[in-house]
């Protein structure tokens, strides 16, 4: 494990009765990297995050946080983890400052630094105006912020966020995304979600899980070359697939072609269109590429893409 | 080693004192015991005519404490039921596993928290009979052993309540489990009386173990029994909490 590889998980396996929720998952996340963990509901994302956070024991496999084995050196490893479960872990009868103080003490923040630590986290998460309010009186958006504040309070090296924008309105979603982006550079971050646009915006690497397994693990935007193109004069599908690099061409009723390419084929498509006089009306690179990949992989067509 | 113990104990104490339920339980227990004490005094005065006679300790103090022991059996499960089950239900316990908080710090912190309100109950209960000092010759030795018995009995029942709370996600179920085990231990002596060959069961009965304290005797075996039971129940609670990490 290199110095900048902050989280490494090998062969994680976890079953619930006969159902295998997580099956041989391998993950590595380095400093400054934000891994977007995608999958359908029940794909094993939350179970994986629980195992990585130490909240649930795996049946098999190993998790290492900055070189500390989560099973053997659990307390040292957990000190380095900030974890936001799917439902924010809150004592709603506490005030925001009281709750963050409680978490800071549990995380082992020295008494002398408690006040500064809580102040820094509340300022960073936009909670300064509500520190004296009871958590149960806060809106869902603010409760989510408190959840994120407890996760980043002790400056963890590894940040695990399970559906951090769950149930938020668009303005709150934008704020939370900005917050995650601002926190990411010094840490290894994993964001679990089933919102594709969120992953596209936040992640440097995308992992797709399906039925407990990793079916795709590659940098954001790589190996996903697609081209959405509209023509004034529609060509035949054979003419499109004959272009060098175009693997498949699908016609969409909305009036565009979606070309799947094995590399960036936009210059050749443009050249061909000009020569044949099809008249390009629109050309967008990688349009819906992630959606197509996601749907293809989670429909059972398991293609493991190498990073 | 016990990092986080203070935070958990402080939260648990604040939770109990912050919510009206704890105060209601405390007030209900105090009210009933105070009323019972008053009835004992009135009946004694009707029979004897004067508190300045012998028999006050037996007729008032000992009878009063026998009911105080029962109040611990009935009220403690209401104070301990949500300590762990509530955290399980809200998934807070699973989150706490992801923090550096050790299982022992968590269990002992919860125990210290629930003890704070239980001990307030015990202290206030113990102060009521002291009002007799103004006009009656009470045996302070008997009084003291009853108070010690009450404290040890309460310690054990708080540990029992905590263990029952760790068995379930439903606080009410936790209270019922604790109550059933308490009553079984209390009435075990009766079972032993019915069947002389089952005398071993009688030795495990809390009723048997309290008799010495009630009569003014400090028997070391009884003290060890309550301490050992408390420690054992706390260890079982810690094991149950650790096992929960393996469960979904």
């Amino acid at each position: 494990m290199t110095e900048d590889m902050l989280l490494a998980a090998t062969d994680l396996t976890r079953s619930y009765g006969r159902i295998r929720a997580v099956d041989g998952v391998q993950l590595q996340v380095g400093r400054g990297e934000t891994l977007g963990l995608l999958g359908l509901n029940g794909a094993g994302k939350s179970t994986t995050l629980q195992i990585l956070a130490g909240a649930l024991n795996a049946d098999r496999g190993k998790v290492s946080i900055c070189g500390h084995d989560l099973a053997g050196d659990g307390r040292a490893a957990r000190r380095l983890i900030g974890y936001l479960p799917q439902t924010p872990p809150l004592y709603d009868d506490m005030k925001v400052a009281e709750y963050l103080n409680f978490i800071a003490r549990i995380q082992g923040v020295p008494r002398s630094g408690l006040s500064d630590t809580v102040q820094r986290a509340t300022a960073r998460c936009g909670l300064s105006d509500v520190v004296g309010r009871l958590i149960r009186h806060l809106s869902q958006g603010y409760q989510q912020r408190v959840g994120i504040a407890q996760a980043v309070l002790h400056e963890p090296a590894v940040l695990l966020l399970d559906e951090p924008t769950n149930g938020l309105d668009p303005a709150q979603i934008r704020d939370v995304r900005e917050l995650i982006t601002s926190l990411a550079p010094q840490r290894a971050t994993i964001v679990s979600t089933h919102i594709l646009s969120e992953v596209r915006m936040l992640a440097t690497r995308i992992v797709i899980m399906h039925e407990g397994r990793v079916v795709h693990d590659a940098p954001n935007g790589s190996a996903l070359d697609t081209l959405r193109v509209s023509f004034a004069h529609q060509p035949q599908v054979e003419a499109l697939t004959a272009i060098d690099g175009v693997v498949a061409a699908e016609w969409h009723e909305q009036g565009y072609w979606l070309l799947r390419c094995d590399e960036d084929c936009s210059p050749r498509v443009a050249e061909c269109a000009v020569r044949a006089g099809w008249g390009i009306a629109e050309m967008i690179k990688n349009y819906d590429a992630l959606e197509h990949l996601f749907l293809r992989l989670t429909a059972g067509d398991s293609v493991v893409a190498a990073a | 080693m016990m990092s986080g113990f203070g935070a958990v104990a402080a939260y648990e104490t604040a939770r109990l004192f912050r919510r009206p339920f704890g105060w209601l339980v405390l007030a209900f227990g105090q009210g009933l015991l105070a009323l019972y004490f008053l009835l004992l005094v009135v009946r004694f005065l009707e029979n004897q005519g004067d508190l300045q006679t012998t028999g006050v300790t037996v007729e008032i103090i000992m009878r009063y404490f026998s009911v105080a022991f029962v109040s611990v059996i009935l009220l403690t499960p209401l104070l301990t039921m949500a300590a762990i089950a509530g955290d399980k239900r809200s998934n807070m316990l699973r989150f706490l596993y992801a923090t550096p908080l050790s299982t022992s710090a968590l269990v002992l912190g919860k125990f210290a928290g629930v003890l704070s309100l239980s001990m307030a109950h015990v202290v206030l209960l113990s102060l009521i009979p002291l009002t007799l000092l103004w006009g009656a010759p009470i045996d302070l030795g008997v009084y003291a052993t009853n108070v010690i018995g009450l404290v040890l009995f309460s310690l054990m029942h708080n540990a029992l309540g905590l263990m029952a709370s760790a068995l379930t996600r439903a606080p009410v179920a936790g209270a019922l489990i604790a109550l059933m085990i308490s009553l079984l231990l209390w009435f075990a002596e009766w079972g032993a009386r019915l069947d002389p060959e089952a005398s071993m069961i009688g030795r495990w009965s809390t009723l048997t173990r309290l008799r010495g304290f009630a009569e003014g005797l400090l028997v070391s075996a009884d003290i060890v029994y309550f301490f050992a039971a408390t420690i054992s129940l706390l260890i079982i609670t810690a094991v149950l909490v650790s096992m929960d990490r393996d469960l979904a």
Side-chain angles (χ1 to χ4, degrees):
Chain A
M1 193 171 179
T2 63
E3 200 178 301
D4 273 356
M5 193 52 69
L6 303 184
L7 182 148
T10 46
D11 195 25
L12 295 185
T13 302
R14 169 78 204 195
S15 299
Y16 296 122
R18 288 182 173 183
I19 298 165
R20 187 158 279 197
V22 176
D23 190 0
V25 167
Q26 316 257 10
L27 287 174
Q28 289 202 328
V29 192
R31 190 184 300 279
E33 202 173 10
T34 300
L35 189 147
L37 193 57
L38 273 175
L40 298 172
N41 287 328
K45 306 185 299 288
S46 293
T47 306
T48 303
L49 281 194
Q50 283 187 20
I51 294 170
L52 294 176
L56 185 70
N57 287 342
D59 297 335
R60 202 175 65 216
K62 190 179 163 188
V63 178
S64 177
I65 308 289
C66 302
H68 299 280
D69 180 18
L70 195 56
D73 193 8
R75 293 192 71 198
R78 285 187 181 90
R79 277 186 203 285
L80 299 164
I81 299 171
Y83 173 49
L84 173 70
Q86 212 165 349
T87 310
L90 306 171
Y91 281 130
D92 64 1
D93 55 355
M94 277 179 144
K95 291 177 180 169
V96 173
E98 273 177 337
Y99 170 74
L100 293 177
N101 206 59
F102 168 75
I103 296 292
R105 287 176 69 186
I106 281 180
Q107 292 289 4
V109 175
R111 271 184 185 274
S112 56
L114 278 177
S115 170
D116 286 347
T117 303
V118 171
Q119 221 167 12
R120 196 171 51 239
T122 51
R124 183 188 263 171
C125 299
L127 292 165
S128 300
D129 295 339
V130 296
V131 283
R133 286 178 62 185
L134 280 176
I135 290 174
R136 69 162 162 264
H137 292 162
L138 297 179
S139 67
Q140 197 179 352
Y142 269 106
Q143 289 191 358
Q144 193 75 3
R145 280 168 186 249
V146 178
I148 295 174
Q150 67 75 25
V152 301
L153 191 68
H154 54 296
E155 299 291 342
V158 173
L159 198 52
L160 307 172
L161 307 171
D162 197 352
E163 304 200 8
T165 56
N166 207 5
L168 302 184
D169 65 38
Q172 291 166 337
I173 288 173
R174 186 200 56 210
D175 291 349
V176 169
R177 283 176 185 165
E178 282 175 6
L179 180 63
I180 294 169
T181 308
S182 71
L183 293 168
Q186 292 307 311
R187 309 164 212 279
T189 307
I190 299 184
V191 180
S192 157
T193 181
H194 50 251
I195 305 169
L196 304 181
S197 58
E198 192 157 282
V199 165
R200 219 185 274 124
M201 271 180 252
L202 292 173
T204 53
R205 214 171 95 219
I206 294 173
V207 166
I208 299 177
M209 284 189 74
H210 183 54
E211 293 178 348
R213 288 190 212 143
V214 172
V215 291
H216 173 88
D217 184 350
N220 190 0
S222 73
L224 301 170
D225 284 331
T226 56
L227 202 61
R228 171 181 158 152
V229 57
S230 304
F231 301 106
H233 308 289
Q234 299 307 332
Q236 295 294 311
V237 65
E238 292 80 10
L240 289 169
T241 50
I243 300 169
D244 193 20
V246 175
V247 176
E250 293 167 25
W251 168 250
H252 286 251
E253 291 300 320
Q254 292 85 350
Y256 65 88
W257 289 90
L258 198 68
L259 310 181
R260 208 186 297 159
C261 316
D262 58 9
E263 57 185 319
D264 183 8
C265 57
S266 54
R268 284 191 295 280
V269 173
E271 189 188 328
C272 206
V274 170
R275 202 182 303 140
W278 297 334
I280 296 174
E282 178 192 44
M283 187 185 275
I284 307 171
K285 255 178 82 175
N286 288 341
Y287 176 80
D288 275 357
L290 187 56
E291 280 87 338
H292 276 80
L293 180 75
F294 180 75
L295 291 172
R296 189 159 52 87
L297 293 176
T298 55
D301 181 10
S302 298
V303 178
V304 181
Chain B
M1 188 69 189
M2 290 289 282
S3 157
F5 160 78
V8 176
Y11 166 70
E12 198 59 32
T13 306
R15 182 181 70 83
L16 283 166
F17 279 98
R18 193 177 280 150
R19 293 179 183 173
F21 184 71
W23 290 101
L24 277 174
V25 170
L26 201 62
F28 179 72
Q30 297 300 310
L32 274 185
L33 264 295
L35 190 64
Y36 182 65
F37 180 75
L38 188 66
L39 289 174
L40 287 173
V41 173
V42 169
R43 199 180 68 169
F44 187 84
L45 285 172
E46 281 173 1
N47 291 337
Q48 304 291 329
D50 188 1
L51 281 173
Q52 292 284 354
T53 55
T54 54
V56 173
T57 304
V58 173
E59 290 298 322
I60 299 179
I61 302 281
M62 286 169 65
R63 280 178 190 276
Y64 170 80
F65 273 104
S66 65
V67 174
F69 290 128
V70 176
S71 81
V72 169
I73 290 179
L74 297 177
L75 300 182
T76 309
L78 297 175
L79 301 177
T80 55
M81 64 180 182
I84 295 176
D87 279 2
K88 271 190 176 183
R89 194 166 56 170
S90 65
N91 283 327
M92 193 65 191
L93 194 63
R94 189 152 296 287
F95 166 72
L96 292 176
Y97 296 151
T99 68
L101 185 70
S102 66
T103 305
S104 53
L106 174 69
V107 171
L108 290 177
K110 293 276 182 190
F111 184 61
V114 293
L115 264 187
S116 62
L117 197 61
S118 286
M119 283 302 143
H121 178 63
V122 167
V123 168
L124 291 171
L125 281 188
S126 304
L127 288 176
I128 291 174
L130 287 181
T131 53
L132 288 173
L133 283 174
W134 272 280
I138 61 169
D139 185 335
L140 286 174
V142 174
Y143 168 80
T145 57
N146 271 283
V147 171
I148 292 168
L150 193 62
V151 169
L152 292 175
F153 192 62
S154 185
L155 276 177
M156 180 193 149
H157 277 79
N158 276 285
L160 175 62
L162 208 59
M163 185 206 73
S165 183
L167 281 170
T168 173
R169 292 174 73 90
V172 175
L176 287 174
I177 293 168
L179 185 62
M180 280 192 293
I181 298 173
S182 308
L183 291 175
L184 272 176
L185 286 170
W186 183 261
F187 289 118
E189 191 193 60
W190 293 16
R193 273 189 219 157
L194 291 172
D195 181 4
E197 286 183 12
S199 60
M200 267 302 287
I201 298 173
R203 284 187 211 159
W204 289 99
S205 168
T206 47
L207 187 58
T208 310
R209 294 296 176 178
L210 281 173
R211 191 151 294 124
F213 294 107
E215 292 170 355
L217 298 171
L218 276 183
V219 182
S220 54
D222 295 339
I223 297 172
V224 169
Y225 168 84
F226 283 111
F227 272 120
T230 305
I231 293 166
S232 304
L233 288 164
L234 289 176
I235 291 170
I236 294 170
T237 309
V239 171
L240 288 171
V241 170
S242 295
M243 281 167 61
D244 190 63
R245 213 185 274 253
D246 286 326
L247 303 172

